[in-house]
Amino acid sequence: PSSKKNAPFVRDLEDWSKVAGGNLFIWDYLANFRNYIIPHPNINSIAPNIRLFAKMGVVGVFEQGDALCSIGSFAALRHYLTSHLLWDPNDDEKRLIKEFLEGYYGKDAGRILEKFIDVIENGPRKTKQEVRCYHVSCPFLTGGDKLLAMRLMDEAEAAAHKAGEPYATRVKKERLSV
């Protein structure tokens, strides 16, 4: 909401909230629709966006995500996080992310995947690359970040393997993103 790039949208949302009479709805995008599998750095924007919608009096939000692809880019995490935040926009997104990662991928693998997500999420800030919901590659990641992401996935896969099924299979599916 505080981004200069998003200022026109925030102004439009403010204006619509004044005239919608309690009937303001949003259609938002959570996935990279060009390639569902590759990393998509928007997990950290989900909570601020939903909070902005709530603040502006939005009464319905359709978060269009990835319902069909079962591998890569943390679709299940996005569903979990979004569902909880739509129910309570003030819920702690960091706690929700940690809770999901450790519960779904295993405690140790979840902690490692949290670091992996940080690498992906910080990429656009480091490289100053704009990311939209239609990208074919990851120009927002440096070569070093890509290597780090691979190493973290190696570690997460090993940790999940030790924890057993279903954790190992779940991490293998996420690994396909890199």
Side-chain angles (χ1 to χ4, degrees):
S2 60
S3 162
K4 287 181 184 179
K5 278 224 178 257
N6 293 334
F9 171 74
V10 173
R11 279 193 305 276
D12 287 346
L13 193 55
E14 287 171 342
D15 291 343
W16 274 109
S17 71
K18 292 173 187 170
V19 298
N23 291 304
L24 187 56
F25 295 81
I26 294 286
W27 186 329
D28 193 20
Y29 301 106
L30 295 176
N32 170 13
F33 294 103
R34 178 147 303 152
N35 188 333
Y36 289 127
I37 298 172
I38 65 174
H40 187 54
N42 74 334
I43 291 171
N44 288 341
S45 67
I46 294 171
N49 287 349
I50 290 174
R51 289 183 188 122
L52 172 67
F53 303 155
K55 177 182 170 189
M56 295 296 167
V58 171
V59 295
V61 179
F62 174 63
E63 292 284 9
Q64 185 175 356
D66 173 9
L68 303 174
C69 185
S70 64
I71 57 174
S73 203
F74 296 94
L77 169 61
R78 283 184 176 78
H79 296 311
Y80 183 84
L81 182 61
T82 301
S83 298
H84 280 272
L85 290 168
L86 287 172
W87 188 261
D88 178 3
N90 295 313
D91 208 339
D92 181 355
E93 68 271 21
K94 297 293 183 196
R95 181 190 60 78
L96 291 169
I97 291 169
K98 181 180 178 71
E99 177 180 89
F100 179 85
L101 292 174
E102 291 183 8
Y104 193 73
Y105 301 105
K107 194 168 190 173
D108 293 335
R111 289 179 181 156
I112 297 165
L113 290 173
E114 196 170 4
K115 294 175 187 174
F116 173 89
I117 289 170
D118 286 343
V119 171
I120 303 304
E121 293 289 312
N122 290 322
R125 283 184 279 293
K126 285 173 59 177
T127 61
K128 307 287 188 240
Q129 291 286 321
E130 184 175 307
V131 179
R132 296 182 177 257
C133 59
Y134 290 97
H135 56 92
V136 295
S137 65
C138 300
F140 52 86
L141 293 175
T142 66
D145 285 341
K146 289 175 184 176
L147 291 172
L148 176 56
M150 287 293 291
R151 192 181 87 240
L152 289 168
M153 273 297 178
D154 289 342
E155 293 174 17
E157 192 170 7
H161 183 72
K162 285 181 187 174
E165 290 298 335
Y167 307 119
T169 296
R170 292 173 180 164
V171 172
K172 281 182 184 180
K173 287 181 178 183
E174 292 302 338
R175 182 188 188 88
L176 293 173
S177 70
V178 293

